[in-house]
Amino acid sequence: MPGMLADSGGAIVPFSGERNHAAPPPPVRPIRHGVAPPIFRVFVSWSSGNLLQVACLRPPGPEEAGGRGAEEVAGSVVEVNLAVASGSAEVEEEIDEAEMRRIEYGSVPAFALLQSRKNALADAAAMQRMHSVSEHAEWWQYVLQYSKTIGKLLGSPDSLPVLMIEDPRAILKVRERPTSLKAAWELLEIFYVDKNLHSWLPERLVDWLADYDSLLTKTDGTVYCKLSDFQKKLINLQVVENDPDYWNGLSAALSVGWLDVVVNMLRFHGSYQLDQMDNHRKRLVEAVAVLVSTMPRMRPDLPTGKLGQCCTSRPDFIKAWEKWRGQVSKLECSAFWIQCGHQKTRDGLKNLLHIMMGNIKDLTAATSHWLELFASHFLYIRPFTVGFEGMHHLAQKCIQLKPSFGNSGLTGLLNGILSENPEVVLAECTRKFGPWMVTHTMELLAADNEYADIMLHEERPNFGGLSIEELHRLVYAQVLSSHSLTWQIAPTYLSSCLNQGLGLLEILLLKQPIQDNRQVLKTLELCRLYELENVSTNIMKIAGIYHWKHGRKGTGVYWFQQAHDKVRLDRIAQQLFERIGKSVADDNFKQWEGLLELLGSDIGSAGGLEFLHRYRDFKRSLQQALEGRTGEAARQTVEFLIQLMRNPSTPQCFWLPLLHDSVRLLNCKPCPLLNVAETTLLLNKLQELSMAKLRPDFCTNHLPSHALSSVRLALASNLARAILEEP
């Protein structure tokens, strides 16, 4: 059986495939589980989408009861993405575990704040008889703020510092390596959340493509790949205009709207060199560069370093566009082309003009991926498009013209967005980007989409009454709970699940290890935050039992006191009674006196241990009285004795030892320390003790045989003197 542990060495039996059939080797995916060898058992189960959950457990041993430290992991559950990764940009390959944990921790405050605002708006919506929170005008702004916060957490493509000395022949800027996770998040924000982008949505898509074009595919070429390859080649070129890759790179960059790159590359042309005397070529190149840099853009502003003429209103944009197109047409018919003697320059510049005129053949030839062709349509063929107008149909047409293989999850995600199908979007997020992405993007999907809101929040019987939103949050919380470094943020997501979240939260907190007191305190703090008093009490009881059984008596009693567990404290007291009562000698009592010190001064919370505190005080006072340190010590000792004998919690087996220890005080001269009533009380107790000796369950105290007679004689003598002393 493939995957079964071998008996020797714990090796995995290799998969050999079917006989007489040459099968390709299966893909190998490393699993970072963090469990120290040896691994005793491996459990594998399917999770959502293409995620596989793998649980690795260490072998149980006798040392696990208390010998293993709290830091050593006994088991771990990890998720493996089994999606076909033929050129796709998998999140696991882009983001390491430490970076992903930073993202997971950083997204908690934003998620919690949004849920708090959502609950407040839900209460207001109920009072105003609104159907959903999304009907509030400010809700989409809250979601947009949440999305911006998460976006900053995922990183920025331009976050690297600017170099002090830039390379004048650099085509692409040095920037932080983009990730598919960040790209997917921005796509969802652009199309689902930010209403301010509605009027210039195509331009925003062009900006997105400029940042993440390198992630579209790894098997097929992209504009970014063309320019990167030419950048490596540029250092060895003397006359760039003679290289066809130079003009191909210019056409590709212009087709996707990278105007600053185009103008910068045009400056590489040989006509700008000081030793060149052909002014006609330079004029043509400069004219094209001016047209490129003044291209009208339907957008409010441009990022720093980007070129174009911004138009904020549609009429202004139409007017500027018609004027600019006229200038392009005029240059195409100019007589300068006849005077240009360099054929490659003439053909390359004309090709750029054809692209600006929206020639579909030149645009198709210049682009490499269907998404690049899709963006070029909005720049040069359909510049007046607003919102989702015809986007899905155009995307299908571009896919037919530019079929590509080995696409990343971004193209599938964009297809789902353009088809306005939230089910496809959710499936792509689950398949390619994992539980974190799904959990945090559902608020974006439902921000301004009534259908998505109903789909995500409808309770489904086949999910056990859970909604899709709650189901994915529980899956993500399970992933967090399986790791020792992230389990403490899982309660934030479990508490937002109203149906089963709180129940699973209680289970999670009760399952936390209690070997380390710092871990217990952290768990108790979570119980306090979520008002789980019963769980907190149970955890303290479990911690008390664990430490008591492992010999840490004082720590165990401390946790029992914190839990106000009177039942177990009484049992502990009974054990101490039995141990101390077997031999009430001073040495035996001193053996347990340290435990009494650890119980603290709040004896009221210690249940039956109250007697041991008083017994300790009596022994100390008796020692001082017998040593004659203070005159009041004898009287105070007698008061302790009377209190103990009157207290119903004083075990009967301690009566005779108490009285026997006090014989010297009872015989104190010249005046008795006990009055008649007190002496009568002690005689009655002694009589009860004499009757109790007849029962078979009576416990002896290993005192001398004459102890009872000595006490009776001392009490009788004290009674006689007390009667004589009375007025």
Side-chain angles (χ1 to χ4, degrees):
M1 179 182 293
M4 178 174 290
L5 288 174
D7 293 335
S8 59
I12 302 295
V13 177
F15 178 71
S16 58
E18 298 182 3
R19 293 183 178 179
N20 302 325
H21 288 82
V28 178
R29 290 175 172 83
I31 300 177
R32 303 180 181 91
H33 47 74
V35 181
I39 296 178
F40 171 68
R41 197 176 295 274
V42 177
F43 295 95
V44 181
S45 62
W46 284 107
S47 180
S48 58
N50 286 334
L51 297 178
L52 197 67
Q53 289 186 343
V54 181
C56 303
L57 304 178
R58 293 193 67 218
E63 72 279 359
E64 289 190 2
R68 192 172 60 201
E71 296 81 4
E72 189 172 340
V73 179
S76 177
V77 180
V78 294
E79 285 198 336
V80 182
N81 196 329
L82 299 182
V84 179
S86 56
S88 62
E90 297 292 343
V91 176
E92 288 80 1
E93 298 175 0
E94 298 177 345
I95 303 177
D96 58 16
E97 289 187 0
E99 178 66 13
M100 195 64 212
R101 279 198 298 271
R102 184 190 68 84
I103 294 173
E104 290 168 348
Y105 270 90
S107 58
V108 171
F111 178 83
L113 177 60
L114 185 65
Q115 296 306 309
S116 176
R117 289 174 170 175
K118 185 177 183 179
N119 294 334
L121 289 180
D123 296 338
M127 296 178 62
Q128 300 174 12
R129 297 182 179 180
M130 293 183 178
H131 294 290
S132 64
V133 174
S134 58
E135 296 182 14
H136 281 274
E138 62 269 26
W139 172 242
W140 76 272
Q141 297 177 352
Y142 290 154
V143 178
L144 180 60
Q145 180 183 350
Y146 161 77
S147 179
K148 296 291 185 184
T149 303
I150 300 294
K152 291 180 181 178
L153 183 68
L154 295 176
S156 172
D158 300 324
S159 60
L160 290 182
V162 179
L163 298 176
M164 295 297 294
I165 302 176
E166 295 186 1
D167 185 1
R169 294 173 70 87
I171 298 176
L172 300 172
K173 294 181 179 179
V174 179
R175 60 182 185 178
E176 181 180 333
R177 183 173 62 92
T179 63
S180 298
L181 199 62
K182 169 69 172 176
W185 187 271
E186 283 197 9
L187 268 182
L188 295 172
E189 179 184 306
I190 291 170
F191 286 96
Y192 283 102
V193 184
D194 199 345
K195 295 182 179 180
N196 299 324
L197 301 178
H198 183 74
S199 60
W200 56 288
L201 185 61
E203 279 282 344
R204 184 64 186 89
L205 183 60
V206 171
D207 291 345
W208 178 88
L209 185 61
D211 291 333
Y212 303 107
D213 182 70
S214 60
L215 301 177
L216 296 182
T217 179
K218 291 183 179 179
T219 57
D220 302 330
T222 60
V223 173
Y224 181 87
C225 295
K226 286 183 180 180
L227 296 178
S228 298
D229 294 341
F230 181 71
Q231 177 75 71
K232 299 174 184 177
K233 185 179 181 181
L234 182 61
I235 191 172
N236 297 320
L237 291 179
Q238 296 295 327
V239 184
V240 294
E241 58 266 28
N242 291 335
D243 193 308
D245 291 339
Y246 171 71
W247 297 107
N248 291 337
L250 276 170
S251 300
L254 182 61
S255 65
V256 293
W258 298 0
L259 306 185
D260 54 324
V261 175
V262 175
V263 173
N264 186 35
M265 290 183 65
L266 285 174
R267 299 287 191 265
F268 299 162
H269 195 275
S271 60
Y272 283 90
Q273 302 297 324
L274 295 177
D275 57 348
Q276 296 293 322
M277 303 301 294
D278 190 354
N279 291 330
H280 298 293
R281 275 197 296 170
K282 184 175 182 180
R283 289 173 184 175
L284 275 177
V285 174
E286 186 63 27
V288 173
V290 171
L291 286 175
V292 170
S293 62
T294 58
M295 175 181 171
R297 312 288 293 268
M298 182 59 188
R299 56 189 302 156
D301 53 18
L302 280 165
T304 304
K306 301 296 182 181
L307 300 178
Q309 178 185 352
C310 293
C311 300
T312 56
S313 65
R314 187 180 179 87
D316 293 342
F317 176 68
I318 294 175
K319 183 178 179 181
W321 181 263
E322 292 176 350
K323 180 181 177 181
W324 180 78
R325 270 289 176 86
Q327 293 172 347
V328 175
S329 300
K330 184 177 179 180
L331 179 61
E332 187 183 20
C333 302
S334 172
F336 284 112
W337 300 104
I338 301 175
Q339 300 171 359
C340 180
H342 194 265
Q343 181 67 31
K344 292 185 178 180
T345 299
R346 187 167 60 248
D347 294 342
L349 293 177
K350 279 197 172 185
N351 189 48
L352 296 181
L353 292 180
H354 293 162
I355 289 175
M356 288 188 281
M357 292 296 294
N359 188 298
I360 184 62
K361 291 184 178 180
D362 292 303
L363 287 173
T364 304
T367 54
S368 302
H369 193 273
W370 73 263
L371 190 51
E372 296 170 349
L373 181 60
F374 180 69
S376 67
H377 273 74
F378 297 115
L379 287 170
Y380 305 108
I381 300 177
R382 303 174 57 179
F384 307 124
T385 302
V386 177
F388 278 83
E389 180 183 338
M391 280 192 173
H392 183 244
H393 177 72
L394 178 60
Q396 298 304 314
K397 181 180 178 181
C398 293
I399 292 175
Q400 292 177 358
L401 292 174
K402 284 284 183 181
S404 56
F405 304 95
N407 291 326
S408 68
L410 297 175
T411 53
L413 181 63
L414 184 59
N415 264 325
I417 293 173
L418 296 178
S419 63
E420 301 184 53
N421 193 335
E423 289 97 337
V424 175
V425 174
L426 195 64
E428 286 295 326
C429 289
T430 303
R431 188 169 64 94
K432 288 292 184 179
F433 303 106
W436 179 90
M437 183 69 173
V438 180
T439 301
H440 292 85
T441 55
M442 284 187 288
E443 297 292 356
L444 275 61
L445 294 177
D448 193 32
N449 190 316
E450 184 178 355
Y451 173 74
D453 186 39
I454 296 174
M455 180 199 73
L456 293 175
H457 297 100
E458 180 184 4
E459 295 184 356
R460 301 173 182 268
N462 56 331
F463 290 165
L466 297 177
S467 63
I468 293 179
E469 180 184 62
E470 184 170 348
L471 176 65
H472 283 287
R473 286 182 184 175
L474 293 178
V475 171
Y476 177 57
Q478 182 184 10
V479 175
L480 294 175
S481 303
S482 66
H483 201 288
S484 59
L485 297 179
T486 56
W487 74 266
Q488 50 265 51
I489 61 178
T492 302
Y493 299 91
L494 290 174
S495 62
S496 65
C497 302
L498 301 180
N499 289 328
Q500 298 184 11
L502 291 179
L504 293 176
L505 175 57
E506 294 182 4
I507 295 174
L508 170 65
L509 296 176
L510 288 172
K511 291 289 185 180
Q512 294 309 309
I514 40 81
Q515 292 88 343
D516 187 0
N517 286 330
R518 292 174 297 179
Q519 178 83 1
V520 176
L521 292 174
K522 185 183 296 183
T523 307
L524 294 178
E525 178 63 19
L526 291 173
C527 293
R528 186 190 65 80
L529 288 175
Y530 296 101
E531 299 179 354
L532 301 175
E533 296 182 1
N534 293 334
V535 177
S536 176
T537 301
N538 290 334
I539 291 174
M540 289 187 285
K541 290 180 180 179
I542 294 172
I545 293 173
Y546 173 82
H547 289 291
W548 181 267
K549 286 186 175 181
H550 288 82
R552 294 180 285 274
K553 308 294 186 182
T555 307
V557 171
Y558 168 78
W559 286 118
F560 288 141
Q561 285 182 319
Q562 296 298 314
H564 301 285
D565 191 353
K566 189 175 183 300
V567 174
R568 287 184 173 84
L569 287 172
D570 286 341
R571 291 179 182 175
I572 293 174
Q574 187 62 36
Q575 291 183 14
L576 292 179
F577 297 158
E578 294 174 357
R579 291 180 180 274
I580 298 176
K582 290 179 180 179
S583 176
V584 201
D586 292 341
D587 295 338
N588 187 45
F589 181 77
K590 289 179 180 179
Q591 180 182 356
W592 300 100
E593 191 173 5
L595 179 59
L596 296 177
E597 294 289 345
L598 292 174
L599 294 176
S601 58
D602 187 13
I603 59 175
S605 65
L609 296 179
E610 178 184 356
F611 160 73
L612 294 180
H613 281 279
R614 297 187 183 278
Y615 184 63
R616 178 199 59 188
D617 297 337
F618 166 75
K619 295 289 287 185
R620 289 178 178 175
S621 180
L622 178 63
Q623 184 67 25
Q624 294 177 2
L626 295 177
E627 293 176 356
R629 295 181 183 178
T630 60
E632 295 295 329
R635 184 59 197 171
Q636 186 178 11
T637 304
V638 171
E639 291 178 359
F640 282 137
L641 175 63
I642 297 300
Q643 292 176 3
L644 287 170
M645 298 302 290
R646 285 177 175 172
N647 195 333
S649 66
T650 302
Q652 196 177 53
C653 61
F654 279 86
W655 288 1
L656 185 56
L658 284 170
L659 294 174
H660 186 264
D661 289 339
S662 307
V663 168
R664 294 179 59 183
L665 292 178
L666 297 176
N667 294 326
C668 182
K669 297 179 180 180
C671 59
L673 295 176
L674 300 173
N675 57 30
V676 176
E678 293 172 339
T679 308
T680 304
L681 171 67
L682 298 182
L683 286 171
N684 292 335
K685 293 289 184 180
L686 194 62
Q687 183 63 27
E688 291 181 25
L689 190 60
S690 300
M691 299 297 296
K693 292 178 64 176
L694 301 177
R695 298 199 304 267
D697 59 343
F698 180 76
C699 179
T700 60
N701 296 287
H702 305 283
L703 292 176
S705 57
H706 58 80
L708 185 62
S709 301
S710 300
V711 173
R712 183 179 289 111
L713 179 61
L715 288 175
S717 174
N718 188 88
L719 178 62
R721 289 185 290 122
I723 294 174
L724 294 176
E725 290 289 335
E726 286 188 352

